Amino acid sequence: MTLDLAMRWTETLLAIALIMPGVEHIRAGGKERPLFGLRLILCLLLLYPEIGAYSAWICLAMSGLAVLILHRFEGPYNGGSDRMSLLILFCLTLAHWLPQENWKELAFGYLGLQLTLSYFISGWVKIRNPDWRTGRALRDVFAFSAYPVAENLRGLADRKTLLLAGSWLVMVCELLFPLSLASKYTLIPFLVLAASFHLSNAMFFGLNRFVLAWIAAYPSIIWLQDRFIGG
Amino acid sequence: MLRTVQLILPALIPSWNFFDVIAPSPRIEHQLLDHAGKPHGDWQAFRPRPDNISLLTMLRRLIWNPRWNESLFLVSCAERLSQDITPEHSEREILTRMKRDLQAETDAAQFRFRLVFIHREDETLTQEILYTSAPEPLA
């Protein structure tokens, strides 16, 4: 995959990821409506197949809007998913505007690196915590955190064996993610597994914005693997 | 400018420490008040989650989930307010959304909210009230 193609895929997936959140904010009203209205227009423009060199200007404008939106909410509106969207947007903008090819690669490769770290560090901080190793932490998530989307899901907190197995599955997969870069034949199955993980989080915990935000960064890791490792 | 850098840096250099520890979890509760500030009834959970939701609803919410996403934002505001991080902004965001919801449900004159944090001590879930707002007119 070439750098240009990977960037084009990333900006297309990012535009798709930002459309529904934009519509949500526009419908909710409030002072942020013009910001999200403008961002929605830019997202739709970014989806236009013949956008060509204008996508650099659109990414720059979206980055400016993203800063205004950060100020509006004094931080990200939806935590990690907004942070990933911002990271993608800033890396894309830099990759568009930096003058030399290797600098562009550095900016876009940084996104692939951060995507890898997003899984590895999540696994690392969990496995260092005894509560995660015993399954207690995941039981607490179901028992009293704000995330389960329905009260009946809290009953899963009593399924100790299931949640112990689930905890270790999550930690091991997150920690092994960097090894998937060894080959595209290991990377693609890992990305499918990771996307399924985000999908289950969306269904059980309502974290639907994470799904497309993370998937939008996948072209960067596919490009990074192909560019520096191959095979 | 400094504030902009403070807001952007966590996105450029993320920590990625999702769920490293399961911190005390906030619940927002409200109480309706009359003109004199006398309570109408007991404290009630704001936007209580349903007992169960269908698979179809879960699938639909993969695409369209504005109310839940707003509730997650309110959880962030509750955490920030309890930690004294941008407290005026967080309180205003919570009050604005509560007022919008409660105006559609009740004709009470005022309301107030409190933040109840739930955490585990050994095998027992315990609650702690960390913040109670001043009365806010609903009209």
Side-chain angles (χ1 to χ4, degrees):
Chain A
M1 186 184 271
T2 63
L3 178 64
D4 284 345
L5 183 61
M7 285 174 58
R8 184 65 192 129
W9 267 108
T10 304
E11 60 198 22
T12 302
L13 290 169
L14 180 67
I16 293 169
L18 293 179
I19 284 176
M20 291 314 278
V23 176
E24 286 181 6
H25 285 288
I26 291 165
R27 280 199 52 172
K31 286 181 287 185
E32 62 271 23
R33 185 181 266 180
L35 295 173
F36 285 98
L38 191 52
R39 194 181 76 172
L40 182 62
I41 293 168
L42 293 171
C43 284
L44 293 173
L45 286 173
L46 211 48
L47 289 176
Y48 184 63
E50 307 300 321
I51 196 70
Y54 292 110
S55 63
W57 287 100
I58 293 173
C59 286
L60 187 64
M62 285 175 70
S63 295
L65 274 176
V67 172
L68 294 177
I69 291 168
L70 275 176
H71 277 283
R72 164 65 187 89
F73 294 115
E74 292 286 351
Y77 182 81
N78 271 160
S81 58
D82 280 10
R83 288 217 168 106
M84 178 53 100
S85 304
L86 282 166
L87 179 66
I88 297 171
L89 190 54
F90 291 148
C91 288
L92 271 176
T93 306
L94 274 174
H96 272 301
W97 285 93
L98 284 169
Q100 291 182 14
E101 191 66 13
N102 53 349
W103 291 3
K104 289 174 185 288
E105 288 192 345
L106 194 65
F108 194 63
Y110 179 73
L111 176 58
L113 174 72
Q114 284 295 343
L115 179 71
T116 308
L117 290 177
S118 76
Y119 293 118
F120 180 75
I121 292 178
S122 295
W124 178 246
V125 295
K126 286 187 186 83
I127 207 161
R128 291 178 63 201
N129 180 346
D131 281 348
W132 270 99
R133 296 198 299 270
T134 58
R136 163 58 83 182
L138 195 51
R139 275 155 51 205
D140 285 350
V141 169
F142 280 101
F144 68 84
S145 83
Y147 295 104
V149 294
E151 286 297 334
N152 65 340
L153 290 176
R154 297 215 181 272
L156 287 172
D158 298 327
R159 305 279 296 273
K160 292 183 180 179
T161 311
L162 177 72
L163 295 187
L164 177 64
S167 300
W168 276 97
L169 181 67
V170 169
M171 287 187 290
V172 168
C173 288
E174 287 181 333
L175 286 168
L176 289 180
F177 187 83
L179 297 180
S180 73
L181 291 169
S183 153
K184 67 182 173 204
Y185 299 107
T186 48
L187 178 60
I188 301 299
F190 255 87
L191 290 179
V192 172
L193 188 67
S196 311
F197 169 68
H198 294 303
L199 209 57
S200 66
N201 283 342
M203 292 179 73
F204 287 126
F205 303 136
L207 301 172
N208 68 322
R209 290 190 180 186
F210 279 72
V211 182
L212 288 177
W214 253 257
I215 289 175
Y218 285 1
S220 68
I221 195 80
I222 294 170
W223 169 80
L224 193 68
Q225 194 280 334
D226 189 40
R227 172 72 177 80
F228 293 101
I229 301 167
Chain B
M1 188 61 191
L2 178 65
R3 184 68 186 138
T4 301
V5 173
Q6 284 174 336
L7 290 170
I8 288 176
L9 266 187
L12 286 179
I13 311 167
S15 63
W16 303 130
N17 53 354
F18 297 121
F19 292 104
D20 53 342
V21 291
I22 311 306
S25 177
R27 304 285 187 277
I28 301 175
E29 297 182 345
H30 69 273
Q31 187 178 46
L32 301 174
L33 309 167
D34 64 16
H35 283 286
K38 193 177 158 202
H40 262 214
D42 212 348
W43 289 94
Q44 294 186 22
F46 179 65
R47 296 189 181 177
R49 74 201 65 228
D51 288 336
N52 51 63
I53 61 172
S54 67
L55 183 64
L56 198 66
T57 305
M58 278 185 178
L59 292 173
R60 181 173 51 77
R61 287 182 180 181
L62 290 176
I63 309 294
W64 181 248
N65 203 10
R67 195 170 170 82
W68 184 260
N69 284 325
E70 190 176 69
S71 296
L72 291 180
F73 173 61
L74 293 180
V75 168
S76 301
C77 289
E79 287 168 345
R80 285 188 219 166
L81 185 52
S82 71
Q83 294 162 23
D84 209 27
I85 302 168
T86 62
E88 295 86 8
H89 174 270
S90 298
E91 184 180 45
R92 192 170 62 246
E93 293 292 322
I94 294 171
L95 284 171
T96 302
R97 286 162 177 81
M98 291 188 86
K99 196 184 268 192
R100 193 184 61 205
D101 277 25
L102 293 174
Q103 278 172 340
E105 295 172 8
T106 176
D107 54 3
Q110 304 181 82
F111 75 101
R112 58 180 176 169
F113 77 86
R114 69 181 185 185
L115 303 179
V116 181
F117 278 72
I118 302 175
H119 66 284
R120 178 175 55 79
E121 279 180 16
D122 298 323
E123 293 304 313
T124 311
L125 293 184
T126 57
Q127 301 191 354
E128 194 177 356
I129 299 163
L130 289 189
Y131 182 84
T132 304
S133 75
E136 176 76 9
L138 263 175

